[in-house]
Amino acid sequence: MAVPFRFIHAADLHLDSPFRGLAKAPEALRERLVESTFAAMRQLTDTAIAEKVDFLVLAGDLFDAADRSLRAQLRLAREWERLAEHGIAVFVIHGNHDPLSGARVDLKLPSSVHIFSADQIESKPAYRRDGELAAFVYGISYGSRSVTDNLALRYRAMPGAPFHIAMLHGNVGGDNGHDPYAPCTLDELTGNAGFHYWALGHIHHRKVLHKYPHVVYPGNTQGRNPRETGQKGCYLVDVTAAGAVDLQFMPLDDVRWLEDQVSIAAIQSEHELLQQLESAMTRLGMDLEGRFAMVRLELAGRGPLHRRLSEPQAVAALLEQLQELGEERMTWVYALDNRTASELDWEEIAAEDSFAGELCRLSAKLAAGEESWEAFAKEAVHAMAGHQKLGKLLRSKWEELPEQWLERSREHVLGLIAGEGNGQ
């Protein structure tokens, strides 16, 4: 007989994840970043208790490294003890960052915690806190870091439960932003009869790939770098006696990575620009609810300030002023990127029978064909490619070439010709 129940689906806690490149940040912020994955973990426990969930499913990468730190293990065990005190069970699989082969301390965990092995797909009953059977939970952990088999094909729903939850740490649909571990297709999951909910981990951006059956990535619980922007947390899942599923996203992050853009169009002075940047910081800080924000601001648009902003020291000075304000506002601007452009009329220049016109037409031609631009760029930097340090830098930046470098070089060179970028 089916009964309504409630559970939390979380993944990718990455406890004790390192944060690098923040030497200029205030000490209090650096300490908060180091502690942020643990703060998100505590918030996960607090949310489970406050929402009176019946159990948690944690879909891999609880730790950031295979040889997990002692403090991460002890602090996680402490949270599981808190959950056990409230009658909340925990079902766990390990992923590529924390495979079972990694070094770990043999801690005595509450009996309400079940960690799936790496030997085979297991199924375990999950009960409501009043003892009624709610579902079967299925899972398999990674035995080693690199698992390239299609684990999804090995899942089979067993009779005896009204609802079936499959936990899988893997790459569904070939997401290019993540390693292809335990790869499978969405059709392979939705076509696997008997499963009602696929509790996924590995992809750090939350996604509901399908409904009925539900195929869900909750994302990670705490953003760890500038690419992991926005709210991070878990899903609170309510299942009715009729099998209807309701998802509610619950933010858990303690430090949030954010981005915003400020246009220089119609801005006449650096003081006015600074005011606009301060307004952006205020706007971003309105919904933080006690969190700290790591902010990247981008200067964009065309305007008279472009010439001044082309000087690196001008942007650096603005960033320094914003960082002084950030210590007071819980928003730290770690980067201020200049993507502004001059007020030159490109169509008019392109129509000219001049050197500038020829350059403009060439850049447009290169922009229209990625292969021709890449070949042109590689030939242009060929002399530097053999340099030990410069060559390494070029290789690390090569993916930006098709768009960003061409646009910047066109703006710079044609601006110099027009007398906008050299103080003339």
Side-chain angles (χ1 to χ4, degrees):
M1 178 177 173
V3 294
F5 63 96
R6 167 178 279 191
F7 69 97
I8 278 180
H9 169 203
D12 298 282
L13 280 63
H14 287 274
L15 297 176
D16 229 0
S17 178
F19 290 86
R20 300 184 177 91
L22 295 170
K24 294 183 179 180
E27 183 178 353
L29 172 57
R30 293 199 301 271
E31 291 176 356
R32 190 154 179 174
L33 279 167
V34 169
E35 188 67 19
S36 62
T37 56
F38 295 113
M41 174 183 64
R42 290 193 300 272
Q43 185 61 32
L44 174 62
T45 302
D46 292 343
T47 301
I49 294 170
E51 297 295 337
K52 297 180 171 59
V53 304
D54 297 298
F55 57 90
L56 267 69
V57 295
L58 302 178
D61 283 358
L62 281 67
F63 302 98
D64 193 63
D67 296 335
R68 55 218 70 169
S69 70
L70 176 59
R71 77 164 182 160
Q73 294 177 74
L74 290 172
R75 293 173 74 168
L76 181 59
R78 192 179 308 143
E79 296 305 311
W80 286 348
E81 289 168 0
R82 287 179 60 202
L83 291 169
E85 291 170 0
H86 289 81
I88 300 172
V90 183
F91 298 90
V92 179
I93 59 174
H94 285 263
N96 55 290
H97 273 267
D98 61 352
L100 292 179
S101 59
R104 51 185 168 155
V105 177
D106 187 16
L107 297 175
K108 183 175 176 58
L109 300 175
S111 59
S112 55
V113 175
H114 179 77
I115 299 176
F116 289 89
S117 73
D119 300 326
Q120 60 184 0
I121 308 293
E122 298 178 82
S123 65
K124 292 293 177 181
Y127 298 95
R128 298 200 322 175
R129 288 185 297 169
D130 62 6
E132 288 279 349
L133 177 65
F136 282 170
V137 179
Y138 303 74
I140 185 170
S141 290
Y142 282 31
S144 59
R145 177 176 175 84
S146 181
V147 175
T148 57
D149 294 342
N150 187 339
L151 298 178
L153 299 178
R154 295 161 58 180
Y155 282 73
R156 294 290 182 272
M158 306 294 290
F163 200 87
H164 299 270
I165 302 169
M167 301 171 65
L168 176 66
H169 192 86
N171 194 325
V172 178
D175 188 310
N176 292 327
H178 290 74
D179 293 318
Y181 296 134
C184 62
T185 67
L186 181 59
D187 287 344
E188 287 170 340
L189 301 186
T190 59
N192 196 329
F195 288 104
H196 303 92
Y197 190 100
W198 285 89
L200 305 177
H202 185 50
I203 305 300
H204 289 187
H205 301 287
R206 70 179 186 270
K207 304 176 183 179
V208 179
L209 301 180
H210 194 272
K211 294 183 178 181
Y212 298 104
H214 280 67
V215 182
V216 180
Y217 280 112
N220 51 341
T221 55
Q222 169 61 56
R224 302 176 305 145
N225 58 60
R227 297 185 301 277
E228 298 179 347
T229 57
Q231 293 182 329
K232 297 294 180 179
C234 64
Y235 274 114
L236 177 66
V237 186
D238 280 296
V239 182
T240 70
V245 175
D246 178 68
L247 294 174
Q248 182 182 353
F249 179 75
M250 309 294 286
L252 304 173
D253 49 343
D254 187 57
V255 178
R256 187 166 294 170
W257 299 82
L258 299 171
E259 297 178 345
D260 201 7
Q261 189 178 83
V262 174
S263 174
I264 66 167
I267 295 180
Q268 301 297 321
S269 68
E270 289 179 71
H271 178 69
E272 185 181 351
L273 175 58
L274 182 60
Q275 290 179 321
Q276 292 296 319
L277 290 168
E278 288 182 40
S279 296
M281 291 173 65
T282 301
R283 184 172 62 254
L284 292 171
M286 290 177 63
D287 299 324
L288 291 177
E289 299 179 331
R291 296 175 177 84
F292 208 105
M294 294 290 292
V295 176
R296 183 183 74 85
L297 293 175
E298 180 178 280
L299 301 174
R302 299 181 182 277
L305 274 183
H306 168 70
R307 177 177 174 180
R308 171 67 176 135
L309 293 172
S310 297
E311 303 171 13
Q313 63 270 27
V315 176
L318 282 171
L319 178 58
E320 184 176 345
Q321 293 179 73
L322 293 174
Q323 289 179 340
E324 290 177 2
L325 292 169
E327 293 188 48
E328 305 170 2
R329 302 191 183 192
M330 302 284 286
T331 52
W332 177 260
V333 181
Y334 67 88
L336 180 62
D337 296 336
N338 182 23
R339 298 288 185 270
T340 62
S342 67
E343 295 181 290
L344 296 173
D345 187 332
W346 298 115
E347 292 185 4
E348 182 178 319
I349 295 175
E352 291 179 1
D353 183 16
S354 64
F355 179 62
E358 183 63 29
L359 275 178
C360 198
R361 290 189 291 274
L362 173 61
S363 67
K365 181 180 178 181
L366 293 173
E370 184 174 325
E371 290 185 6
S372 59
W373 159 232
E374 193 165 306
F376 180 90
K378 285 184 176 181
E379 182 180 352
V381 301
H382 178 73
M384 292 185 288
H387 189 279
Q388 184 177 359
K389 292 185 178 180
L390 287 177
K392 184 178 180 179
L393 178 63
L394 285 170
R395 286 190 293 275
S396 68
K397 295 289 186 180
W398 201 251
E399 291 183 358
E400 299 178 10
L401 276 175
E403 182 178 352
Q404 191 179 108
W405 285 15
L406 178 59
E407 182 181 344
R408 285 188 181 184
S409 59
R410 182 186 72 167
E411 290 283 347
H412 180 68
V413 174
L414 292 178
L416 286 173
I417 293 173
E420 290 205 353
N422 58 357
Q424 297 179 2

